[in-house]
Structures are given as structure tokens and as C-alpha cells.
Amino acid sequence: METTCVIAGGGPAGAMLGLLLARAGVDVTLLEKHADFLRDFRGDTIHPSTLQVLDELGLAGEFHRLPHHKAYGMALETDDGRVPIADLTRLHAKYRYIAFVPQWDFLNLITAKAAEHSNFRLLMNAQVIDLIREDGAVRGVRYRDESGGEHEIRATLTVAADGRGSDVRRAAGLVPKEYGAPMDVVWFRLPRQEGDPGQPFIRASSGHLMVAINRETHWQLAYVIPKGGFDDLRSGGIGTLRSTVARLLPFLGDRVGQIRDFGDVSVLQVAVNRLSRWHLPGLLLIGDAAHAMSPVFGVGINLAVQDAVATANIVGPALLRGEAPEALLAKVEHRRMVPTMITQAAQRTVQDRLIRPALDARPLRMPPVARLPVIGPLARRFVGLGVLPEHVRLTQKGSH
């Protein structure tokens, strides 16, 4: 098979790039190694920057018809009281909230819209096993289908958007620099009832940290544990987790019994890393394949989408001519590296100044600067729009 652009990974970065290129007229093939997009406890936060991209694509209406919950702000609750972190209702943007949407619904919408274009192909159960190299450049991929058969797709440009465990990155011999994280995250859910809090919040207490996300019918809960600490948690028995939840979130005390055992939880091993070089001749890496983000601020999906938009804007016109000059791939890296570095630096600051002390059972002391008015506008812009929001510039085929 031959295509102009082959994309490995059907997550937010790969799906969005596939749609943007397909609507412009580029021949594009998207490979997803799983049979569907149904992975529980994936990042589900669609921030105003991504909502704006959907609006520019004419998809805001359809997106908002998906089951979702709007969050207009975030607060930190300590044993001493509540500290507002970001009030998005005062954001200078068209969309002033975060939409929590199951990621599979989001990906199904994006890939369905891409599939309306005859020059787009989505191959499920297709795992990349190697790269095709010729004359010092990447010229496509080799992949394995669900029956174990191996195939080749030759392409002008290969894009790795296959996440933090990227098969393409490994095949290319690229190794990201690890910046470390003091925590992992245990995800689980409990039913939501009338009278529960409405907005998401962070609950911090000496030795414990938990994030509570309102998903309308249930709470999606993230219990932050020390890095590599899941075996210790499990050795204490499920009753320890239940009692911790009941103490931190008393309104859930009558429901913690619904965490039956550790089969009801999922563990995210947190990583913060970044490639120093995102491209080789014929190859570009974006999203988590280029930079794994901490769950702090919940901006991973949105950074991935911004990478995809920038890639389409910068490389798309050349792909329409059947070209992918490495100078343009370097331009994508140059444009997206700075917002990635700034975002990761902010995440690492929170990890070091809030999460690490909380997990070490040190007393939490909110710095006075956290209450200065200037922090509000900075925080809501950072959370809502990010450092360098991208806008769709690559025009749809046939539009003027």
C-alpha cells in the first residue's frame, strides 16, 4: 500500500492530524493497534483551546451533543480550607469551560468525520513493528494485523502519534530524556448522587492527594500515590483504600464499599519526558510520542491536539505536493517545543511543591503568592488555552 502520510496511533494527536490532512485533500492512512478506542480512565479533558479547534472545523455542535460535563473552574481543598485555582468563566475566549467527554466518543467523532473523505483510511488492529528506510530516510512502516500477518505501507511522511510507549520511536532509535515524577495515579469510579459537589476539585491532606471529577452519573477519582507505590497500597488491602477515600471525601463514605477489590482500579504510571529531536528525514513525532506529560492540569490531550494542528498548518501544503521537507518537520518541532517545555516546567513545579510534600506527609502551606489576583488570569489562561494555542490554517479542499 502507498499513501502520502501514514500516521501511527489513533489517539487525539493522530486522529486530529488525520482529519485535518484528509479534509485538505492529502492521502492519509491512520493505524491504530487496538480493535477500538474503548480504554477506560484515559484523559478525557477537552479544554477551551481544543474546543476552539473543533469550532474552527465546524464540529462544535456535534461535539457538544456527545455526553459531557462542563467544568467552569478548579479548586484545591486542604484541611485548612479551599483555595480557587482557576475560574474559567472569566477567560477571554469563546469557550469558558473544560468539557469532560469519554475519549472514545471524542475519537469516534474525529475519525468518523475523517472517514467522510475518500482519501482517508483507518486500519484497526494494526501495530507498527518497524520502519521502512531508504537512502537515509524513513519511507513508511511495516505493521502486523490481528491475524499476525505483516504488511508494508510506503509513505512520503510517517508520523508517530502512538503515545508514550511509541513503537515508532523505538524503531527509530530515539530515546526521550526522563525528568521524573514523584507519583503514580490510581483511577477508579464511584456513583454520584444528588447533593454531591458540582465542580471538579483537588483534595490534599498530609500524606494524601486525590482528584475528584464529576462525570454526571459517577465520580472519576484519581488517588495519587508515591511512585512505584501500588504494591504497597495493594498489600494493605482494599479496606485501606476505602477508608482513605471516606476520610478525604466524606460525602462518598456510604459508597466506598462499591470498590469491590483492586480489579476495580487502574494504575497510571506517571512519566514526564521529552525528545530533544522530534524528527528524522521522512519522520515526525508528535503528542506523547515526542513528550509524555504529567496529568497535572489535565492538558495532555490538548497539547497533542495543538501538535496536530501545527503539523497540518506547517507540513500540509507540502504534502499536497507530495513532499515533506525535513526543514518543515524541524519547523513543527521548533514551534511546539517551547510550549511543551513551559508546560512541563509548570507541571514539575507543582509536582515538587505540592504533590511531593503531600505524599511525604509534610504540612501543606499554600504560598501567599497563590492568593495574589495576578495568579487568577495567568492560571485560567494557562489551563484553558495553554502557552501557544494553535488555529486551523490548512483549508478544506474545495473551499475558498
Side-chain angles (χ1 to χ4, degrees), residues 4 24-27 156 314-325 328 394:
T4 302
V26 176
D27 193 79
T156 303
I314 294 169
V315 189
L319 288 173
L320 287 168
R321 303 189 299 269
E323 303 170 354
L328 293 183
L394 186 64

Side-chain angles (χ1 to χ4, degrees), residues 14-44:
M16 181 60 73
L17 179 59
L19 171 60
L20 291 166
L21 294 179
R23 71 193 289 273
V26 176
D27 193 79
V28 57
T29 302
L30 176 62
L31 307 181
E32 166 56 45
K33 69 179 180 181
H34 296 99
D36 53 44
F37 298 122
L38 292 171
R39 257 80 69 208
D40 206 357
F41 301 124
R42 298 178 74 167
D44 297 335

Side-chain angles (χ1 to χ4, degrees), residues 160-204:
D162 51 343
R164 62 184 58 198
S166 173
D167 294 317
V168 175
R169 186 180 66 204
R170 188 180 308 111
L174 299 174
V175 180
K177 179 178 179 180
E178 298 290 342
Y179 293 95
M183 78 287 196
D184 291 326
V185 177
V186 177
W187 289 100
F188 55 98
R189 63 178 61 187
L190 286 173
R192 186 171 180 273
Q193 296 178 3
E194 187 175 352
D196 285 356
Q199 295 296 302
F201 61 94
I202 302 168
R203 175 70 171 97

Side-chain angles (χ1 to χ4, degrees), residues 8 59 69 81 105 148 162 203 243 271 324 382 384:
L59 298 180
H69 174 76
D105 285 342
D162 51 343
R203 175 70 171 97
S243 62
F382 182 80

